[in-house]
Amino acid sequence: MAEGLRERKKRQTRQYISDVATGLFLERGFDAVTIAEIADAADVSVNTVYNYFPAKEDLFMDRSKGVVDRLARWVRGRSAGESAAAAVLRELREEVEAVSPRVGLMTGYSRFMRVVHDAPALRSRLWAIAQEVLVNLEAALREETGAQDGDPLPGLMAGQINWLHQTVMAVIGREMMAGREPDEVSREVLVLLDDMEALLSDKVLNYAVRGAP
């Protein structure tokens, strides 16, 4: 369905408030900026800010929705004959090889990570997002394999597969904060992915292989 005028205006307002807040956070740090200052800079009321963003952390992590279901989405979209781990490895390699901003390979990402590093509330939110990624992945694996609720295997496999994503994101964040160039980090992470794949057992690499349609 086409987006209506009201929905478009709400989306644009939400994005504008987030952009204003992010600019202030990058300039002064997360803890130093108040909701009142964000509302004033965006020319909206404090209540309007809270209507769109229930917590201050939401203003900086407003694009987290695309991350929390990332691995589950990749697993559900795997090709025939492809396992869950193989799908995640393939998607990660494609993102890294493309030097994609979606995995933090972009100029300016170091500023974003510095704000997170300096704010305990944002570090906590980042941890919570990582837990959501894991929970969603386990749910997808359970659904895709038809495993029973008490079966521990989907959870164990989710932990192994999530390790790939978590490690790649951590390494990229660390290297970009160190002032490295995205292209250079991309090449190194591609090698790292090969090393990580070699560490996975055959049981993990062959789990949840999609059958032919």
Side-chain angles (χ1 to χ4, degrees):
M1 293 179 62
E3 184 181 41
L5 177 61
R6 179 179 173 83
E7 289 74 20
R8 183 168 70 252
K9 289 186 70 174
K10 288 176 66 175
R11 176 177 56 79
Q12 290 172 342
T13 298
R14 187 183 194 281
Q15 187 62 60
Y16 177 68
I17 294 171
S18 172
D19 289 345
V20 168
T22 298
L24 291 172
F25 293 146
L26 290 174
E27 179 184 347
R28 295 167 48 196
F30 182 77
D31 293 331
V33 178
T34 67
I35 295 294
E37 288 173 322
I38 293 167
D40 184 62
D43 198 23
V44 298
S45 70
V46 169
N47 284 341
T48 297
V49 175
Y50 278 119
N51 284 340
Y52 285 99
F53 302 94
K56 185 179 173 184
E57 293 86 347
D58 297 328
L59 284 156
F60 197 66
M61 300 289 191
D62 65 310
R63 293 170 179 81
S64 64
K65 181 170 173 49
V67 176
V68 296
D69 66 347
R70 177 185 282 173
L71 300 190
R73 188 172 66 249
W74 288 350
V75 166
R76 289 193 173 100
R78 68 197 186 285
S79 304
E82 190 173 45
S83 72
V88 170
L89 282 163
R90 173 178 54 76
E91 294 279 3
L92 281 172
R93 284 192 175 101
E94 288 176 0
E95 294 283 3
V96 172
E97 191 169 14
V99 196
S100 172
R102 287 187 294 268
V103 290
L105 290 169
M106 62 178 179
T107 303
Y109 188 63
S110 59
R111 294 179 66 202
F112 174 88
M113 288 304 300
R114 180 61 62 188
V115 173
V116 173
H117 182 269
D118 292 342
L122 290 178
R123 294 202 303 272
S124 295
R125 175 57 65 87
L126 203 60
W127 180 88
I129 290 170
Q131 296 310 297
E132 285 189 73
V133 172
L134 182 58
V135 168
N136 289 340
L137 174 59
E138 179 179 351
L141 291 174
R142 197 170 293 280
E143 178 184 315
E144 292 291 307
T145 60
Q148 299 299 312
D149 288 344
D151 187 349
L153 192 56
L156 295 172
M157 290 295 180
Q160 294 285 300
I161 296 169
N162 183 60
W163 166 71
L164 297 166
H165 179 258
Q166 192 173 38
T167 302
V168 164
M169 295 303 295
V171 169
I172 289 174
R174 182 190 69 212
E175 295 304 314
M176 295 305 294
M177 279 184 67
R180 304 283 303 283
E181 291 296 322
D183 288 347
E184 186 179 19
V185 175
S186 168
R187 290 191 294 271
E188 292 181 4
V189 173
L190 285 172
V191 175
L192 177 66
L193 276 164
D194 290 342
D195 292 339
M196 294 169 72
E197 181 176 4
L199 292 173
L200 295 176
S201 70
D202 288 340
K203 188 169 185 178
V204 175
L205 291 171
N206 293 300
Y207 180 72
V209 175
R210 168 154 288 165

